[in-house]
Every structure is written in C-alpha cells, then in structure tokens.
C-alpha cells in the first residue's frame, strides 16, 4: 500500500521548483548575453551554428535547432543556418560503429564545419567523451565554442570559449536550464534580428 501523502508530493514539487529558481537567481547572465551576440553575428554573416548533446541533452539540441532555424524569424529562408549533430540516427550509428561513440559529433563537425562557425554543446556532467572530442575538433578548426553545463562543469569547462555553468548536482534541472537558456536566446534573437533582416 502506498502511504505517500498529498502533502509530501506537493512538497517534492515545491522543492524542485525552489532548486531550479535558486540556480537561476544566482546565474551569471552576462555570459548568455555574449552567446546571444555571437549567435546574432553568425546569423547575420551566414555562418553555421551546431548543437550537440547526449540523451535528454540530445533531445534539447534538436529542439533548439528547430527554434533557431525557424522560430527566430518565422519567415521562409530567414532563419539561422543551424544543425543538431544528434539528429540523424543513420549518421550517429554509422559513426559509432566505424569510429567509436566518442567521435559521433566530432566527425560530423570535421565535414560540415568551417572556421568562424559556432558549436554549442549541452552536457550535464561536462565529461562525456564525445562532447569533449567535439570541443577539441572545433578548436582545431577555429570553430568558436560554448558549453552549457551542470554539476562541476567537468572537462568541458576548461575547453569551451564561453562557459555557461549552472553548479547543481541534478541532471534533470541541468537539462531544464539548457532549454531555458535556449528559449531566452530564441526570444532575444526574434526581437533583435540582424539589420539585413529588419
């Protein structure tokens, strides 16, 4: 018999909300403002933006690529040149099989990326080998990088050019914050398009 009380359920949800709000209240929004400007510059210049992550972060990467492709402009052909490296299962399974799972993002970036493009990695731990490899590949190609991280930030904290770090030891809240940041960026970009689109 489940003895859980209604009050304990409400307390759990209230605590989750409090923890999420607490991290947001202490965040450094200046780094997100810098990322917003870098993304706007990429949009204006026709440079590409790449996103990647694993698991829930992979889903977030795909979701946000959609927002930046269409949602920031809502006009045919006016969005950002954006790719979610986690979106194509045929490519992911080919690369995982042939080169190893740690190379599934970096191999795609090596083909698709150009100097001056932007890679945004989403990672709770900041230690996933395929995320670290993607950042290293980007550096070798002069692709700018940003990491949106939870927990301690892991290895990615010292590899990315821009680091948005939310120091919370909770994977679900870390993933919530990836989408919150992404939606903030989407709304700001929608309101501040490049002059060529105004």
């Amino acid at each position: 018999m489940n003895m859980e009380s209604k009050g304990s359920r409400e307390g759990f949800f209230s605590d989750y909300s409090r923890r999420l709000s607490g991290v947001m209240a202490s965040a450094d929004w200046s780094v997100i403002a810098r990322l917003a400007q870098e993304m706007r510059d990429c949009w204006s210049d026709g440079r590409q933006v790449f996103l990647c992550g694993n698991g829930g972060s992979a889903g977030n990467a795909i979701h946000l690529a959609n927002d930046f492709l269409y949602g920031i402009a809502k006009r045919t052909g006016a969005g950002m040149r954006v790719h979610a490296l986690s979106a194509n299962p045929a490519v992911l399974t080919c690369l995982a099989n042939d080169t190893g799972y740690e190379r599934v993002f970096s191999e795609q970036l090596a083909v698709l990326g150009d100097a001056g493009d932007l890679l945004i990695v989403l990672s709770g731990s900041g230690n996933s080998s395929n995320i670290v490899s993607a950042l290293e590949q980007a550096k070798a190609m002069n692709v700018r990088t940003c990491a949106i991280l939870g927990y301690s930030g892991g290895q990615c904290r010292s590899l990315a050019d821009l680091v948005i770090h939310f120091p919370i030891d909770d994977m679900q809240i870390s993933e919530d914050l990836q989408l919150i940041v992404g939606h903030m960026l989407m709304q700001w970009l929608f309101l501040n398009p490049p002059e060529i689109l105004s």
Side-chain angles (χ1 to χ4, degrees), residues 10 13 26 31 52 58 80 109 113 143 146 154 169 174 177 195-196 198:
E10 290 173 356
F13 300 134
S26 62
V31 184
C52 64
M80 189 177 291
L109 190 65
V143 169
C146 175
D169 294 344
S174 296
L177 290 160
E195 289 181 12
I196 58 170
S198 298

Side-chain angles (χ1 to χ4, degrees), residues 11-146:
F12 176 85
F13 300 134
S14 176
D15 180 65
Y16 188 103
S17 173
R18 180 189 56 74
R19 288 183 291 129
L20 175 60
S21 300
V23 175
M24 291 184 65
S26 62
D28 177 6
W29 301 110
S30 67
V31 184
I32 299 167
R34 287 171 55 201
L35 175 58
Q37 187 59 54
E38 290 213 20
M39 292 182 72
R40 186 179 185 272
D41 292 344
C42 282
W43 188 13
S44 177
D45 298 341
R47 288 180 278 127
Q48 301 175 101
V49 174
F50 298 92
L51 297 111
C52 64
N54 293 294
S57 299
N60 287 345
I62 295 167
H63 177 136
L64 292 173
N66 168 71
D67 289 345
F68 300 140
L69 179 84
Y70 177 74
I72 58 173
K74 297 191 179 174
R75 292 201 325 253
T76 300
M80 189 177 291
R81 296 177 64 210
V82 60
H83 310 272
L85 300 178
S86 53
N88 188 326
V91 169
L92 290 170
T93 54
C94 168
L95 293 173
N97 186 65
D98 290 6
T99 69
Y101 191 70
E102 69 278 2
R103 302 286 307 164
V104 295
F105 301 134
S106 58
E107 290 289 335
Q108 293 182 70
L109 190 65
V111 173
L112 299 172
D114 291 305
D117 288 343
L118 175 64
L119 170 68
I120 302 171
V121 302
L122 311 177
S123 179
S125 71
N127 287 318
S128 299
S129 61
N130 57 5
I131 299 294
V132 170
S133 179
L135 288 170
E136 291 171 343
Q137 180 66 41
K139 186 171 190 144
M141 298 171 65
N142 291 317
V143 169
R144 292 279 296 161
T145 57
C146 175

